[in-house]
Amino acid sequence: MRFQAPKGVSEYLPPRSSSFEVVRDRLLAPAKVAGYQLIELPIFEDTELFTRGVGGSTDVVMKEMYTFEDRGGRSISLRPEGTAGVMRAVIEHGLDRGQLPIKLFYAGPFFRAERPQAGRYRQFYQAGIEAIGIDDPVLDAEIISIAHQGFVSLGLKRFVLKITSLGDTESREAHRRDLVSFISTLPLDDETKERAERNPLRLFDDKRETIRAAMTSAPILMDYLTPPSREHFLTVQSLLKRLDVPFEIDPRMVRGLDYYTGTTFEFIHQDLGAQSGIGGGGRYDGLMKELGGQSLSGIGFGLGIDRVLLACEAEGVELEVGHSPTLFLIPLSSAAESEALYLATDLRKGGVHVDIAFGERGLKGSMKAADKRGAKYVIVIGDDELLERQAKIKDMSTGESESIRLLASEIASKILR
Ligand code: HAM
């Protein structure tokens, strides 16, 4: 019996896993220097958290959740996204009673039972941040520019930022009234009607051509923004311009999750085909209250690490991945192998990247291995070298060798010069 990974999951093996690591860390670096702190949460939660938080009318909850009964008969779901869980933890642990905004970041796997295709997986990875407790356009601009900075720091160029505003409650209610009466004039099947009753905005997101065509003349939320909502959105735009973050306004954007209000955004990469969304986010005014907490606003984003890596590969950007050893030790006997381990351990304590040729591959095979690994220096340790505590260190770029004592301090000062 040969096992295979479950269908549609993304997996990262060496050497590509190092690129994945670089992407994840670079995406989060701008958040760390802006004071966001790590939050590490469970991968499964009470199903009801997502039904209430993400929304019962969304594809994510209706069709894509991995839901099961645990041994205690509770309904559990693998997390399809991160914001609902973060809000659950904030409320449960009373973080909202401390300093506001609460600024958090996370990275990890998320699960959606979608039809697998290039860039769309059933287990995928997001890097996300959330700022909870303050409703201020400056915070919206901070969040968006942090995401932008992450993409730029990777060297990505071929992406665009789309933004819109879903307004405040008053804006959305006025729009909803007109949208519902517009939708009532459309010939819809019962299932679609039922969906539209739960959230009429979902019809903007329908993939069927007839519905897409019909929705082109539907009323647009942007035209219903109240003066304060309009003002908030205009401030975000002028801040983004000042921060050199280019954007387009997309009044028809519909995010796949129901909690969004106010400023909402998506980053689209131009070389990724159908699954082009490399990140998205927005403000969520009602989420904390909906989940049983006080009424505080929040804003955040989730960036798709898998897709950002694909985007880097599509653009051919070089991710500087440092997995070549600085020093490769080649022991020629078992006594030399132990000595190599002592030396390597001492050097590694000082942060030097050292690898050892394990297994009896002989000198030729081991030199080949050092070359393949991209080692900068090689030291061969045979019985004579052990006896004399002296060996030759070879600079692999010039091919030159010189004598060196088998002392970690001496070796370190040579190769770190
Ligand atoms: P989302 O737009 O559903 O937002 O997901 C964010 C990103 O995750 C997407 O832009 C995409 O890059 C990636 N992604 C989503 N589904 C898949 C998949 N099946 N395969 C590969 N990548 C995928 C959220 O999840 C929100 N929680 C973001 C947020 C945080 N909003 C406010 N705070």
Side-chain angles (χ1 to χ4, degrees):
M1 175 90 181
R2 280 167 64 92
F3 291 104
Q4 289 184 328
K7 194 166 178 248
V9 300
S10 60
E11 295 189 294
Y12 297 94
L13 314 176
R16 195 166 177 254
S17 52
S18 302
S19 306
F20 175 88
E21 202 183 354
V22 170
V23 169
R24 182 194 60 203
D25 295 349
R26 293 256 185 98
L27 289 177
L28 288 171
K32 290 186 195 172
V33 294
Y36 289 74
Q37 288 182 293
L38 176 69
I39 183 163
E40 212 37 276
L41 292 176
I43 275 164
F44 56 90
E45 297 264 9
D46 194 329
T47 300
E48 183 72 12
L49 173 70
F50 301 118
T51 316
R52 291 180 73 112
V54 174
S57 75
T58 59
D59 274 357
V60 168
V61 166
M62 277 171 67
K63 303 181 188 159
E64 297 169 359
M65 275 211 301
Y66 283 97
T67 298
F68 57 96
E69 225 177 63
D70 74 358
R71 286 167 198 269
R74 290 165 288 251
S75 180
I76 293 290
S77 294
L78 299 185
R79 59 184 190 186
E81 63 93 51
T83 313
V86 167
M87 198 52 102
R88 191 265 311 142
V90 164
I91 299 168
E92 183 177 343
H93 303 290
L95 298 187
D96 52 324
R97 291 196 296 267
Q99 185 86 21
L100 298 178
I102 309 150
K103 293 166 97 176
L104 303 165
F105 77 82
Y106 51 87
F110 294 87
F111 306 86
R112 295 183 193 174
E114 301 195 76
R115 201 168 44 78
Q117 63 182 89
R120 186 164 73 183
Y121 311 110
R122 291 179 171 173
Q123 174 170 336
F124 60 98
Y125 294 84
Q126 272 188 18
I129 74 174
E130 314 287 347
I132 299 161
I134 302 281
D135 184 3
D136 180 344
V138 178
L139 202 49
D140 300 26
E142 172 174 291
I143 291 267
I144 294 173
S145 81
I146 285 174
H148 173 84
Q149 187 51 39
F151 297 135
V152 169
S153 75
L154 283 163
L156 287 174
K157 294 205 167 61
R158 295 181 44 74
F159 66 91
V160 291
L161 162 64
K162 298 193 169 181
I163 61 170
T164 191
S165 173
L166 302 180
D168 53 14
T169 313
E170 202 185 316
S171 321
R172 283 192 304 281
E173 276 173 2
H175 173 247
R176 188 184 171 112
R177 270 194 299 277
D178 284 2
L179 184 59
V180 166
S181 73
F182 170 83
I183 288 173
S184 70
T185 65
L186 303 177
L188 299 175
D189 58 86
D190 288 347
E191 196 190 321
T192 313
K193 260 192 210 146
E194 206 240 326
R195 206 167 179 211
E197 268 162 33
R198 286 208 256 172
N199 182 357
L201 287 178
R202 288 265 84 84
L203 288 204
F204 282 109
D205 204 19
D206 203 294
K207 305 282 177 294
R208 288 167 294 182
E209 204 36 63
T210 47
I211 297 190
R212 287 173 85 103
M215 290 304 284
T216 51
S217 43
I220 295 295
L221 213 164
M222 193 81 88
D223 298 333
Y224 291 77
L225 295 186
T226 56
S229 287
R230 191 173 298 279
E231 186 59 32
H232 184 113
F233 191 45
L234 286 172
T235 309
V236 174
Q237 290 173 48
S238 62
L239 289 165
L240 290 177
K241 282 183 194 145
R242 174 70 185 73
L243 292 169
D244 281 331
V245 177
F247 61 87
E248 290 169 13
I249 295 177
D250 178 3
R252 289 172 175 276
M253 181 198 307
V254 182
R255 305 272 298 124
L257 315 163
D258 269 354
Y259 47 64
Y260 290 113
T261 59
T263 311
T264 312
F265 56 92
E266 267 175 0
F267 288 87
I268 307 292
H269 195 272
Q270 288 153 334
D271 301 339
L272 290 188
Q275 303 306 316
S276 58
I278 51 173
R283 197 162 265 291
Y284 38 85
D285 286 340
L287 182 60
M288 186 183 260
K289 190 128 192 270
E290 182 64 36
L291 297 179
Q294 55 174 324
S295 181
L296 289 179
S297 181
I299 179 164
F301 64 62
L303 312 180
I305 303 174
D306 314 83
R307 291 188 192 167
V308 178
L309 176 55
L310 290 172
C312 290
E313 289 165 349
E315 283 201 43
V317 300
E318 283 284 333
L319 300 171
E320 281 160 40
V321 177
H323 51 63
S324 294
T326 311
L327 175 64
F328 201 71
L329 297 174
I330 302 179
L332 298 179
S333 68
S334 66
E337 196 176 39
S338 305
E339 181 60 29
L341 179 63
Y342 308 145
L343 265 179
T345 306
D346 278 348
L347 284 159
R348 288 168 187 162
K349 279 181 199 159
V352 185
H353 186 161
V354 188
D355 207 347
I356 304 174
F358 287 110
E360 288 168 12
R361 269 180 289 190
L363 183 55
K364 228 173 126 193
S366 298
M367 283 306 285
K368 241 191 194 158
D371 205 34
K372 238 178 151 176
R373 296 288 319 277
K376 287 201 185 70
Y377 294 95
V378 171
I379 299 179
V380 179
I381 311 174
D383 287 338
D384 290 350
E385 283 81 5
L386 261 190
L387 213 66
E388 288 161 25
R389 314 260 344 130
Q390 182 112 8
K392 289 252 175 337
I393 182 163
K394 180 170 178 183
D395 182 330
M396 296 296 275
S397 57
T398 60
E400 281 165 17
S401 292
E402 63 181 76
S403 280
I404 196 160
R405 284 195 296 159
L406 288 181
L407 270 180
S409 53
E410 199 158 309
I411 298 170
S413 63
K414 157 90 187 143
I415 63 185
L416 297 179
R417 222 178 9 213

